[in-house]
Amino acid sequence: MTEPTHDNEAHGGALGSRLNWLRAAVLGANDGIVSTAGIVVGVAGATADRNALLTAGLAGLLAGSMSMAAGEYVSVSTQRDSELAALAQEKRELKEQPEAELEELTELLERRGLSREVAGEAAVQLTERDALKAHASVELGIDPDELTNPWNAALASFLAFTVGALLPLLAIVLPPSDWRLPVTVCSVLAALVLTGWASARLGAAAMGPAVLRNVLGGALAMGVTYAAGRLLGAVGV
């Protein structure tokens, strides 16, 4: 009976990690859709030239995807550095004052609802098995075997943003001139419905408000940039 329980917990932890990655991918794609749609719709408000639209869309795609990747790399690298520093400090403390660290682990387990006797026994067993991993998990909330990888995070953000940005870019340059704007707007709004639904589903949140916020935000972005493009085009800028 004990082994299935542990297996389920392991699968649950892995599932939670995968859901976090999926949620980040959905949000990255959503950013790519909205930001690139805003750029190409804004340019479409000023000109119908296909080359101008393609250039602006590609520039927005590349700039956005690289910015997302760089930002994610820096953020996750900072988090990883903090985790490594915390683990190094914990390792020193375990070497210099093992008794105090054992008492600290016992108290932490007590706070989680164990009796003093059970917490002390559990602390001793965890320390004998892997003291650093025990303290990292209970005290710091870190798994030393699964530290965040900044390169994976950067690549995931780059790909997610790129995939999202391709939709408005293709929608604005492939159709005939008269159909570009309506096709782009409809495609973007449909995609935002999908990403709003997916983010709500992954976050176990209400779908209606999430989808509505997503669609209204995207529609507002396109409306503002299109108006700005029309204004700049009218004055010949």
Side-chain angles (χ1 to χ4, degrees):
M1 294 297 290
T2 301
E3 290 183 0
T5 301
H6 288 178
D7 289 342
N8 288 338
E9 289 174 355
H11 291 317
L15 177 60
S17 178
R18 287 196 296 269
L19 287 177
N20 286 334
W21 278 102
L22 285 172
R23 191 178 297 111
V26 169
L27 294 176
N30 192 80
D31 287 343
I33 294 169
V34 174
S35 60
T36 306
I39 292 173
V40 297
V41 167
V43 175
T47 178
D49 183 70
R50 190 188 301 269
N51 289 332
L53 293 169
L54 179 60
T55 300
L58 281 175
L61 184 154
L62 292 173
S65 59
M66 292 302 295
S67 176
M68 288 283 290
E72 194 69 14
Y73 178 83
V74 170
S75 175
V76 174
S77 293
T78 301
Q79 178 183 344
R80 184 183 178 89
D81 290 343
S82 298
E83 292 173 342
L84 289 173
L87 288 173
Q89 179 179 349
E90 197 64 39
K91 189 173 183 179
R92 287 194 302 270
E93 292 175 351
L94 285 168
K95 182 178 181 180
E96 296 171 358
Q97 43 189 8
E99 295 82 4
E101 288 298 299
L102 179 61
E103 176 61 26
E104 181 181 36
L105 183 58
T106 300
E107 292 176 355
L108 289 170
L109 292 173
E110 273 191 281
R111 293 175 191 171
R112 296 192 174 191
L114 299 180
S115 68
R116 175 71 184 182
E117 181 180 356
V118 173
E121 183 180 348
V124 169
Q125 292 184 13
L126 289 171
T127 299
E128 291 175 350
R129 179 177 299 177
D130 191 330
L132 179 60
K133 190 169 185 178
H135 280 266
S137 177
V138 177
E139 181 180 349
L140 304 175
I142 298 174
D143 185 345
D145 298 329
E146 294 186 11
L147 296 180
T148 51
N149 188 317
W151 287 108
N152 288 347
L155 179 60
S157 293
F158 179 88
L159 292 177
F161 188 96
T162 300
V163 170
L166 282 173
L167 173 68
L169 176 59
L170 295 177
I172 203 72
V173 299
L174 293 181
S177 179
D178 293 341
W179 285 92
R180 286 174 188 164
L181 194 58
V183 167
T184 301
V185 171
C186 291
S187 299
V188 167
L189 293 180
L192 292 177
V193 169
L194 179 60
T195 56
W197 173 86
S199 63
R201 181 85 174 182
L202 291 171
M207 294 182 189
V211 170
L212 184 60
R213 286 193 300 266
N214 224 27
V215 171
L216 289 179
L220 179 61
M222 289 188 290
V224 170
T225 55
Y226 180 75
R230 291 289 290 180
L231 178 62
L232 292 174
V235 298
V237 177

